């Protein structure tokens, strides 16, 4: 049964495999906006990526201007990465008008 977890480096190979299916295209809410798929194939780079995703939930974490804190969750089943969720902690004008909200 699929479960939600915090991003975890143990899903590296499965994450890369799933992301390769998208041809390296950006997936909104997936987190790798500033990370190339090629770079994320490296285990140490992937570890930094996972750390950045987890730390993005913290209010004090550095982020680009206009970005809000966000909790990333991964959908996994067994040792297979299936997808991800991005839960924004607040709405700015862009998210309020263009996306990131339900209702």
């Amino acid at each position: 049964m699929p479960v939600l977890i915090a991003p975890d480096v143990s899903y590296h190979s499965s994450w890369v495999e799933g992301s390769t299916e998208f041809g390296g295209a950006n997936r909104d809410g997936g987190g790798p906006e500033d990370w190339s798929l090629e770079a994320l194939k490296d285990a140490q780079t992937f570890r930094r990526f996972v750390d950045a995703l987890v730390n993005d939930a913290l209010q004090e974490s550095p982020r680009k201007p206009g970005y809000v804190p966000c909790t990333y969750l991964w959908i996994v089943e067994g040792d297979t990465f299936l997808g991800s969720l991005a839960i924004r902690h607040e709405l700015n004008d862009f998210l309020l008008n263009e996306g990131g909200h339900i209702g």
Side-chain angles (χ1 to χ4, degrees):
M1 169 185 298
V3 296
L4 293 173
I5 65 164
D8 188 302
V9 295
S10 66
Y11 291 89
H12 182 213
S13 61
S14 180
W15 186 95
V16 168
E17 182 180 334
S19 295
T20 300
E21 292 178 18
F22 286 87
N26 181 44
R27 295 180 320 242
D28 289 339
E33 179 180 301
D34 294 330
W35 306 78
S36 74
L37 177 58
E38 198 58 39
L40 289 169
K41 290 178 181 178
D42 173 73
Q44 289 193 0
T45 302
F46 189 76
R47 179 174 298 281
R48 289 192 309 273
F49 167 69
V50 167
D51 289 345
L53 292 181
V54 171
N55 289 332
D56 199 37
L58 305 174
Q59 184 71 32
E60 65 273 13
S61 291
R63 61 187 46 83
K64 292 180 184 179
Y67 280 56
V68 300
C70 181
T71 295
Y72 291 95
L73 297 172
W74 285 359
I75 307 162
V76 300
E77 186 166 17
D79 61 358
T80 303
F81 170 84
L82 301 174
S84 60
L85 299 172
I87 304 169
R88 303 319 193 286
H89 296 197
E90 57 194 65
L91 297 177
N92 58 22
D93 288 339
F94 173 78
L95 292 173
L96 187 60
N97 294 306
E98 300 295 329
H101 66 90
I102 50 175

